[in-house]
């Protein structure tokens, strides 16, 4: 029987909504939508797309650190953004800064709202640990 390696940031939303931040199943790591939460699990940077994007990727890095994987092992990214047309340049800049020359597949969706008031971005990813770090 296979076992799952589950990761939590240990923030209240995980128990309030009943989810894990990430689950490793075999060679793949599936990461829930990361967002702009601080260490205490408080939503931060309401309505500030660039600051939320930076914090969201910082939270993604915590998941990478837990599983000792690198950004180069991301095979798929899904980004959900509010007012995406206005934030297209910030989305592109943040994505390029985070991934450098690595190019995972990416789906970017413009949506009307997210969970927290003032939340404008959320990102989920899939990692493949068989890829070179």
């Amino acid at each position: 029987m296979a076992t799952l390696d589950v990761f939590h940031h240990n923030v209240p939303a995980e128990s309030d909504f009943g989810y894990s931040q990430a689950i490793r199943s075999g060679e793949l790591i599936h990461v829930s939508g990361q967002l702009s939460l601080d260490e205490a699990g408080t939503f931060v940077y309401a309505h500030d797309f660039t600051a939320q994007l930076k914090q969201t990727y910082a939270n993604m890095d915590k998941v990478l650190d837990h599983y000792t994987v690198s950004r180069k092992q991301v095979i798929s990214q899904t980004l959900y953004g509010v007012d995406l047309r206005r934030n297209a340049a910030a989305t592109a800049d943040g994505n390029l800064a985070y991934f450098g020359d690595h190019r995972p597949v990416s789906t970017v969706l413009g949506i009307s709202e997210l969970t927290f008031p003032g939340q404008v971005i959320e990102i989920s990813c899939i990692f493949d640990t068989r890829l070179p770090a």
Side-chain angles (χ1 to χ4, degrees), residues 57 64 69-77 92 94-106 125-128 130-133:
Y57 278 135
L64 276 87
V69 295
S70 82
R71 297 172 185 179
K72 292 183 183 222
Q73 292 169 293
V74 174
I75 59 172
S76 178
Q77 169 185 246
N95 195 62
L96 290 168
Y98 188 74
F99 289 111
D101 62 355
H102 177 60
R103 299 290 185 261
V105 299
S106 184
C125 288
I126 299 172
F127 295 83
D128 188 334
R130 295 170 291 197
L131 295 175

Side-chain angles (χ1 to χ4, degrees), residues 26-67:
E27 304 301 328
L28 298 179
I29 301 166
H30 299 266
V31 182
S32 290
Q34 298 298 292
L35 54 131
S36 187
L37 298 176
D38 65 12
E39 293 292 326
T42 303
F43 175 72
V44 293
Y45 308 119
H47 304 288
D48 185 334
F49 191 91
T50 302
Q52 284 187 40
L53 183 61
K54 184 176 179 181
Q55 182 65 43
T56 297
Y57 278 135
N59 289 338
M60 188 70 71
D61 282 342
K62 293 175 189 174
V63 177
L64 276 87
D65 290 346
H66 171 79
Y67 291 106

